[in-house]
Tab-separated table of all heavy atoms in Angstrom:
chain	number	residue	atom	x	y	z
A	74	PRO	N	129.205	10.033	16.740
A	74	PRO	CA	128.566	10.094	15.394
A	74	PRO	C	127.210	9.596	15.268
A	74	PRO	O	126.427	10.044	14.394
A	74	PRO	CB	129.539	9.077	14.581
A	74	PRO	CG	130.070	8.233	15.613
A	74	PRO	CD	130.183	9.013	16.768
A	75	VAL	N	126.735	8.845	16.302
A	75	VAL	CA	125.217	8.495	16.235
A	75	VAL	C	124.417	9.656	16.774
A	75	VAL	O	123.335	9.999	16.111
A	75	VAL	CB	125.064	7.371	17.335
A	75	VAL	CG1	123.592	7.044	17.470
A	75	VAL	CG2	125.885	6.132	16.986
A	76	ALA	N	124.867	10.397	17.714
A	76	ALA	CA	124.114	11.755	18.030
A	76	ALA	C	124.041	12.623	16.860
A	76	ALA	O	122.977	13.280	16.666
A	76	ALA	CB	124.773	12.363	19.221
A	77	PHE	N	125.144	12.786	16.129
A	77	PHE	CA	125.132	13.729	14.998
A	77	PHE	C	124.275	13.216	13.789
A	77	PHE	O	123.815	13.964	13.161
A	77	PHE	CB	126.519	14.113	14.589
A	77	PHE	CG	127.152	15.058	15.483
A	77	PHE	CD1	128.052	14.757	16.469
A	77	PHE	CD2	126.811	16.374	15.362
A	77	PHE	CE1	128.551	15.679	17.355
A	77	PHE	CE2	127.303	17.406	16.213
A	77	PHE	CZ	128.188	17.033	17.212
A	78	GLU	N	124.134	11.907	13.717
A	78	GLU	CA	123.205	11.301	12.730
A	78	GLU	C	121.846	11.775	13.035
A	78	GLU	O	121.040	12.099	12.167
A	78	GLU	CB	123.349	9.811	12.671
A	78	GLU	CG	122.401	9.267	11.654
A	78	GLU	CD	122.421	7.714	11.520
A	78	GLU	OE1	122.777	7.064	12.626
A	78	GLU	OE2	121.974	7.147	10.579
A	79	VAL	N	121.428	11.588	14.341
A	79	VAL	CA	120.115	12.003	14.678
A	79	VAL	C	119.808	13.430	14.400
A	79	VAL	O	118.769	13.898	13.982
A	79	VAL	CB	119.895	11.722	16.205
A	79	VAL	CG1	118.501	12.212	16.697
A	79	VAL	CG2	120.002	10.174	16.467
A	80	ALA	N	120.845	14.318	14.695
A	80	ALA	CA	120.718	15.751	14.420
A	80	ALA	C	120.748	16.135	12.991
A	80	ALA	O	119.941	17.053	12.648
A	80	ALA	CB	121.792	16.459	15.217
A	81	LEU	N	121.456	15.461	12.217
A	81	LEU	CA	121.704	15.839	10.824
A	81	LEU	C	120.843	15.168	9.771
A	81	LEU	O	120.606	15.617	8.669
A	81	LEU	CB	123.155	15.840	10.398
A	81	LEU	CG	124.101	16.684	11.314
A	81	LEU	CD1	125.480	16.435	10.929
A	81	LEU	CD2	123.730	18.102	11.318
A	82	ALA	N	120.438	13.964	10.035
A	82	ALA	CA	119.742	13.078	9.034
A	82	ALA	C	118.418	13.870	8.605
A	82	ALA	O	118.093	13.799	7.378
A	82	ALA	CB	119.355	11.707	9.550
A	83	PRO	N	117.682	14.546	9.511
A	83	PRO	CA	116.467	15.265	9.074
A	83	PRO	C	116.739	16.281	7.946
A	83	PRO	O	115.804	16.795	7.286
A	83	PRO	CB	115.855	15.767	10.269
A	83	PRO	CG	116.381	14.944	11.324
A	83	PRO	CD	117.751	14.535	10.954
A	84	LEU	N	117.959	16.759	7.966
A	84	LEU	CA	118.365	17.800	6.916
A	84	LEU	C	118.891	17.245	5.692
A	84	LEU	O	119.334	17.913	4.766
A	84	LEU	CB	119.480	18.687	7.650
A	84	LEU	CG	119.086	19.237	8.890
A	84	LEU	CD1	120.282	20.194	9.470
A	84	LEU	CD2	117.865	20.093	8.867
A	85	GLY	N	118.774	15.886	5.548
A	85	GLY	CA	119.158	15.206	4.236
A	85	GLY	C	120.636	14.844	4.224
A	85	GLY	O	121.158	14.505	3.195
A	86	ALA	N	121.336	14.707	5.417
A	86	ALA	CA	122.669	14.242	5.460
A	86	ALA	C	122.811	12.940	4.958
A	86	ALA	O	122.013	12.017	5.374
A	86	ALA	CB	123.213	14.495	6.845
A	87	THR	N	123.743	12.709	4.030
A	87	THR	CA	123.891	11.383	3.405
A	87	THR	C	125.072	10.486	3.929
A	87	THR	O	125.294	9.491	3.519
A	87	THR	CB	124.068	11.504	1.884
A	87	THR	OG1	125.302	12.342	1.635
A	87	THR	CG2	122.852	12.151	1.276
A	88	GLY	N	125.827	11.053	4.880
A	88	GLY	CA	127.062	10.533	5.421
A	88	GLY	C	126.749	9.264	6.181
A	88	GLY	O	125.691	9.111	6.797
A	89	THR	N	127.608	8.344	6.085
A	89	THR	CA	127.633	7.049	6.827
A	89	THR	C	128.263	7.278	8.174
A	89	THR	O	128.817	8.311	8.505
A	89	THR	CB	128.370	5.912	6.142
A	89	THR	OG1	129.778	6.265	6.058
A	89	THR	CG2	127.790	5.739	4.747
A	90	LEU	N	128.240	6.228	9.046
A	90	LEU	CA	128.901	6.293	10.333
A	90	LEU	C	130.408	6.602	10.123
A	90	LEU	O	131.021	7.411	10.818
A	90	LEU	CB	128.768	4.933	11.076
A	90	LEU	CG	129.586	4.866	12.366
A	90	LEU	CD1	129.129	5.783	13.463
A	90	LEU	CD2	129.449	3.364	12.910
A	91	ALA	N	131.013	5.978	9.071
A	91	ALA	CA	132.399	6.074	8.761
A	91	ALA	C	132.699	7.643	8.374
A	91	ALA	O	133.772	8.240	8.678
A	91	ALA	CB	132.956	5.112	7.747
A	92	ASP	N	131.777	8.166	7.563
A	92	ASP	CA	131.950	9.486	7.201
A	92	ASP	C	131.927	10.481	8.385
A	92	ASP	O	132.663	11.489	8.413
A	92	ASP	CB	130.787	9.919	6.261
A	92	ASP	CG	130.819	9.261	4.917
A	92	ASP	OD1	131.938	8.915	4.441
A	92	ASP	OD2	129.755	8.962	4.355
A	93	ARG	N	131.077	10.229	9.323
A	93	ARG	CA	130.923	11.068	10.477
A	93	ARG	C	132.178	10.934	11.374
A	93	ARG	O	132.513	11.934	12.137
A	93	ARG	CB	129.650	10.886	11.232
A	93	ARG	CG	128.434	11.347	10.467
A	93	ARG	CD	127.071	11.259	11.294
A	93	ARG	NE	126.865	9.892	11.777
A	93	ARG	CZ	126.289	9.007	10.959
A	93	ARG	NH1	125.829	9.243	9.769
A	93	ARG	NH2	126.024	7.754	11.456
A	94	VAL	N	132.765	9.808	11.513
A	94	VAL	CA	134.021	9.572	12.174
A	94	VAL	C	135.068	10.423	11.500
A	94	VAL	O	135.771	11.164	12.144
A	94	VAL	CB	134.455	8.199	12.203
A	94	VAL	CG1	135.868	7.993	12.793
A	94	VAL	CG2	133.494	7.410	13.209
A	95	ARG	N	135.194	10.317	10.225
A	95	ARG	CA	136.221	11.046	9.367
A	95	ARG	C	136.004	12.509	9.480
A	95	ARG	O	136.899	13.323	9.464
A	95	ARG	CB	136.207	10.591	7.913
A	95	ARG	CG	137.206	11.137	7.056
A	95	ARG	CD	137.195	10.609	5.666
A	95	ARG	NE	138.203	11.164	4.777
A	95	ARG	CZ	138.141	12.280	4.042
A	95	ARG	NH1	136.963	12.885	4.065
A	95	ARG	NH2	139.189	12.641	3.319
A	96	ALA	N	134.678	12.955	9.615
A	96	ALA	CA	134.335	14.316	9.613
A	96	ALA	C	135.074	15.116	10.683
A	96	ALA	O	135.432	16.317	10.538
A	96	ALA	CB	132.781	14.470	9.785
A	97	HIS	N	135.343	14.492	11.884
A	97	HIS	CA	135.949	15.174	12.908
A	97	HIS	C	137.377	15.626	12.492
A	97	HIS	O	137.837	16.729	12.681
A	97	HIS	CB	136.113	14.268	14.195
A	97	HIS	CG	137.077	14.852	15.220
A	97	HIS	ND1	136.817	15.920	15.943
A	97	HIS	CD2	138.381	14.507	15.550
A	97	HIS	CE1	137.895	16.254	16.640
A	97	HIS	NE2	138.829	15.337	16.419
A	98	TYR	N	138.132	14.604	11.851
A	98	TYR	CA	139.491	14.908	11.426
A	98	TYR	C	139.575	15.890	10.228
A	98	TYR	O	140.477	16.766	10.220
A	98	TYR	CB	140.161	13.537	11.102
A	98	TYR	CG	140.327	12.625	12.309
A	98	TYR	CD1	139.345	11.622	12.472
A	98	TYR	CD2	141.194	12.877	13.277
A	98	TYR	CE1	139.414	10.831	13.598
A	98	TYR	CE2	141.353	12.060	14.363
A	98	TYR	CZ	140.455	10.989	14.553
A	98	TYR	OH	140.365	10.254	15.667
A	99	VAL	N	138.582	15.822	9.333
A	99	VAL	CA	138.485	16.821	8.326
A	99	VAL	C	138.343	18.187	8.998
A	99	VAL	O	138.885	19.236	8.561
A	99	VAL	CB	137.452	16.495	7.290
A	99	VAL	CG1	137.209	17.576	6.320
A	99	VAL	CG2	137.684	15.148	6.658
A	100	GLY	N	137.454	18.195	9.988
A	100	GLY	CA	137.164	19.450	10.655
A	100	GLY	C	138.469	19.990	11.448
A	100	GLY	O	138.581	21.213	11.397
A	101	MET	N	139.161	19.062	11.986
A	101	MET	CA	140.346	19.588	12.724
A	101	MET	C	141.440	20.032	11.716
A	101	MET	O	142.298	20.900	12.024
A	101	MET	CB	140.946	18.373	13.533
A	101	MET	CG	140.129	18.136	14.776
A	101	MET	SD	139.748	19.615	15.813
A	101	MET	CE	141.385	20.066	16.348
A	102	HIS	N	141.473	19.501	10.538
A	102	HIS	CA	142.363	19.979	9.464
A	102	HIS	C	141.893	21.379	9.093
A	102	HIS	O	142.767	22.332	8.913
A	102	HIS	CB	142.313	19.017	8.255
A	102	HIS	CG	143.269	19.516	7.123
A	102	HIS	ND1	142.809	20.259	6.131
A	102	HIS	CD2	144.545	19.251	6.895
A	102	HIS	CE1	143.679	20.575	5.340
A	102	HIS	NE2	144.918	19.968	5.729
A	103	ALA	N	140.670	21.637	8.941
A	103	ALA	CA	140.165	23.039	8.635
A	103	ALA	C	140.407	23.911	9.762
A	103	ALA	O	140.814	25.097	9.561
A	103	ALA	CB	138.641	22.903	8.395
A	104	HIS	N	140.333	23.396	10.984
A	104	HIS	CA	140.721	24.137	12.190
A	104	HIS	C	142.132	24.596	12.123
A	104	HIS	O	142.511	25.741	12.442
A	104	HIS	CB	140.420	23.343	13.428
A	104	HIS	CG	140.584	23.951	14.729
A	104	HIS	ND1	141.834	24.092	15.309
A	104	HIS	CD2	139.754	24.491	15.634
A	104	HIS	CE1	141.774	24.656	16.460
A	104	HIS	NE2	140.397	24.906	16.685
A	105	ALA	N	143.051	23.692	11.776
A	105	ALA	CA	144.410	23.897	11.794
A	105	ALA	C	144.862	24.887	10.659
A	105	ALA	O	145.824	25.760	10.917
A	105	ALA	CB	145.260	22.678	11.506
A	106	THR	N	144.201	24.911	9.572
A	106	THR	CA	144.529	25.820	8.383
A	106	THR	C	143.617	27.027	8.300
A	106	THR	O	143.815	27.770	7.347
A	106	THR	CB	144.379	24.940	7.158
A	106	THR	OG1	143.122	24.345	6.933
A	106	THR	CG2	145.445	23.830	7.100
A	107	SER	N	142.775	27.297	9.265
A	107	SER	CA	141.869	28.370	9.279
A	107	SER	C	142.621	29.727	9.269
A	107	SER	O	143.647	29.800	10.033
A	107	SER	CB	140.872	28.290	10.407
A	107	SER	OG	140.113	29.452	10.462
A	108	ALA	N	142.096	30.623	8.667
A	108	ALA	CA	142.651	32.036	8.688
A	108	ALA	C	141.965	32.842	9.826
A	108	ALA	O	142.359	34.030	9.971
A	108	ALA	CB	142.494	32.698	7.299
A	109	ARG	N	141.059	32.393	10.441
A	109	ARG	CA	140.267	32.947	11.485
A	109	ARG	C	141.161	32.958	12.765
A	109	ARG	O	142.177	32.261	12.931
A	109	ARG	CB	138.936	32.312	11.863
A	109	ARG	CG	138.044	32.195	10.632
A	109	ARG	CD	136.806	31.498	10.984
A	109	ARG	NE	136.011	31.124	9.881
A	109	ARG	CZ	134.933	31.762	9.363
A	109	ARG	NH1	134.587	32.982	9.934
A	109	ARG	NH2	134.222	31.323	8.301
A	110	ASP	N	140.766	33.711	13.806
A	110	ASP	CA	141.425	33.868	15.089
A	110	ASP	C	140.520	33.441	16.197
A	110	ASP	O	139.293	33.386	16.085
A	110	ASP	CB	141.814	35.271	15.332
A	110	ASP	CG	142.841	35.820	14.339
A	110	ASP	OD1	143.715	35.086	14.002
A	110	ASP	OD2	142.727	37.065	13.916
A	111	GLY	N	141.133	33.029	17.310
A	111	GLY	CA	140.415	32.652	18.504
A	111	GLY	C	139.425	31.521	18.306
A	111	GLY	O	139.631	30.611	17.460
């Protein structure tokens, strides 16, 4: 999450460290429920 703060903060990202930790699991939920393939 520190590396992603460095990458995303210049774009105006407002998330905290805890948000970026949670972001992985939110992302995996989206991954699980995605209608896309491969």
Side-chain angles (χ1 to χ4, degrees):
V75 177
F77 281 100
E78 179 183 24
V79 173
L81 301 177
L84 306 179
T87 58
T89 64
L90 174 67
D92 291 327
R93 291 187 299 278
V94 168
R95 184 175 184 272
H97 168 74
Y98 297 99
V99 176
M101 289 307 297
H102 180 267
H104 182 282
T106 56
S107 174
R109 302 177 194 265
D110 295 318

